[in-house]
Amino acid sequence: MKKGIHPDYREVVFHDLSSDYKFLTRSTVQTRDSIEFEGKTYPLVKIEVSSQSHPFYTGKNVLLDTAGRVDKFRKRYGTKENATPTSQS
């Protein structure tokens, strides 16, 4: 490998904010945050979905709405009860 052209590959802690799950792995991701994990200080990457919170892996049918997208959609287009009936020809 050529020296100086590859990113720094190091141990990083990923923190799933929706389930408060943390795991240690190796990555080249750049981050300014750090965390004390298992007695050592590591760079920290905050994520919203991991295998601990994703419905496919957990088997739970939950709606992950971190940005309020569902409420925004319902506000804009209304709900099914508020919909006006259309004539069927």
Side-chain angles (χ1 to χ4, degrees):
M1 281 191 335
K2 287 186 176 181
K3 302 279 185 204
I5 64 169
H6 298 285
D8 184 26
Y9 188 62
R10 61 196 176 167
E11 291 184 324
V12 177
V13 172
F14 284 84
H15 181 200
D16 182 351
L17 300 174
S18 61
S19 65
D20 198 34
Y21 177 70
K22 297 176 185 112
F23 59 95
L24 180 66
T25 188
R26 294 182 59 93
S27 177
T28 60
V29 68
Q30 298 298 317
T31 181
R32 293 186 180 142
D33 298 329
S34 62
I35 189 171
E36 183 81 19
F37 186 74
E38 297 179 351
K40 289 179 70 178
T41 301
Y42 296 102
L44 173 67
V45 177
K46 298 175 183 173
I47 55 177
E48 294 183 8
V49 178
S50 72
S51 61
Q52 294 295 315
S53 61
H54 194 281
F56 180 80
Y57 297 105
T58 61
K60 298 177 183 173
N61 191 10
V62 295
L63 180 62
L64 297 174
D65 184 29
T66 58
R69 289 182 225 123
V70 172
D71 292 332
K72 186 177 178 182
F73 177 84
R74 287 184 178 154
K75 184 178 174 184
R76 181 180 294 167
Y77 297 107
T79 60
K80 194 171 188 176
E81 294 83 34
N82 297 341
T84 57
T86 58
S87 62
Q88 298 285 331
S89 305

